[in-house]
Amino acid sequence: MLKPHIWQDLPFGELLQAEIEAKLAPWWPRIFGYHLLKAGALSSQLNSLHCNIARHFCVYDGADASIQADPHHLPVQQSAIDAVLSCFLLEFESDPYQILREFDRVLISSGYIFIVGFNPISPVFIGKILPKYQTQLPWNGQFFMPSRVKDWLGLLGYQVLADERLMYHSLLGQSGANMPYQANKPQQTPWWQKSIATWLPSTGSVYLIVARKMTTPLTPIKDKSKLKAPNWSTAPTAGRTGLTHTQRIKTPLLKPTKY
């Protein structure tokens, strides 16, 4: 399957990269740890300098990768990664759920996972319908529903923290692919994109899912409110329960002896 190796392989690739980096920027100061894993060639090219994690390395099948490996079988020790970033990776792999299981294996407890993908319920799905674009990037890949990706994460025991949309664009046309993106120049958003973002916010062409790994303790902790109070019983009276006040045994007093 044809896969994107650089952002210029995608239509409006540089604009996509800038929009995704802007969405990820508020999340980087909120995560901590020692190792950040970027899975895929496009993930390795995203700016993560403001992340509090010290060591960043990328894994994909390429000469420029920190570790050249198949994402289905990561050569990383179990529970060694604090955060994983996956950008447009699941769409172009044969077994996306196996990749998520590998992410889960290498992530520590309470680790973060960031997944960026194309939303099929969006203007970008128009290219899937037109035969001209069906064999081109990114429409030759599989577009998974964000709800399906969240179901996969739920089966693995993750808590979804955010599900955001961006880039209300069909990505059709060659003008944006040939024109370099200028970060300093303000981009004018067409009125129809503004209307879709206002009235149909869930139909963004790109989704960003942020989830956190939640590990259940092996020993369940009982709820204190459900603990039963002990049944206290009266102390035994040594067989004197039938004596009344007048029948009490009186001990005779001993008179002092004079010498």
Side-chain angles (χ1 to χ4, degrees), residues 34-246:
Y34 298 97
H35 301 96
L36 170 63
L37 172 63
K38 296 181 178 181
L42 298 183
S43 302
S44 65
Q45 301 169 27
L46 291 176
N47 184 10
S48 57
L49 295 178
H50 296 286
C51 182
N52 292 320
I53 298 179
R55 300 177 181 87
H56 304 178
F57 60 96
C58 53
V59 177
Y60 62 94
D61 189 10
D64 299 333
S66 304
I67 302 176
Q68 297 185 24
D70 185 359
H72 296 87
H73 308 283
L74 297 175
V76 181
Q77 186 179 358
Q78 182 177 355
S79 302
I81 304 299
D82 299 279
V84 174
L85 172 61
S86 172
C87 185
F88 300 137
L89 177 65
L90 304 181
E91 287 82 357
F92 305 98
E93 297 296 337
S94 58
D95 193 352
Y97 187 65
Q98 170 62 25
I99 295 179
L100 292 180
R101 284 188 293 184
E102 277 295 283
F103 292 165
D104 177 67
R105 182 184 64 82
V106 302
L107 268 178
I108 66 170
S109 178
S110 301
Y112 289 85
I113 182 171
F114 300 85
I115 300 177
V116 180
F118 289 108
N119 182 19
I121 306 181
S122 66
V124 75
F125 192 75
I126 299 176
K128 280 279 192 180
I129 304 174
L130 302 177
K132 176 182 177 181
Y133 297 98
Q134 291 178 356
T135 57
Q136 301 180 16
L137 289 172
W139 299 282
N140 66 319
Q142 307 178 68
F143 290 1
F144 297 103
M145 293 281 293
S147 58
R148 185 177 182 183
V149 178
K150 289 189 292 184
D151 288 342
W152 287 342
L153 294 174
L155 292 175
L156 294 173
Y158 283 76
Q159 178 186 7
V160 177
L161 303 180
D163 182 10
E164 304 176 1
R165 302 289 186 274
L166 61 143
M167 199 70 182
Y168 296 83
H169 198 288
S170 63
L171 304 183
L172 298 177
Q174 298 297 327
S175 60
N178 299 327
M179 185 181 301
Y181 172 73
Q182 299 179 4
N184 297 329
K185 184 179 179 180
Q187 302 293 320
Q188 295 183 356
T189 305
W191 64 269
W192 63 271
Q193 294 185 25
K194 295 181 179 178
S195 301
I196 294 177
T198 302
W199 298 103
L200 299 172
S202 63
T203 59
S205 299
V206 179
Y207 64 83
L208 168 63
I209 295 177
V210 183
R212 193 173 188 183
K213 184 176 181 180
M214 308 300 294
T215 303
T216 305
L218 296 179
T219 303
I221 302 175
K222 296 182 180 180
D223 189 1
K224 293 183 179 180
S225 60
K226 297 182 179 180
L227 294 178
K228 295 182 179 180
N231 295 326
W232 298 102
S233 59
T234 56
T237 55
R240 294 194 294 266
T241 55
L243 298 178
T244 61
H245 180 71
T246 57

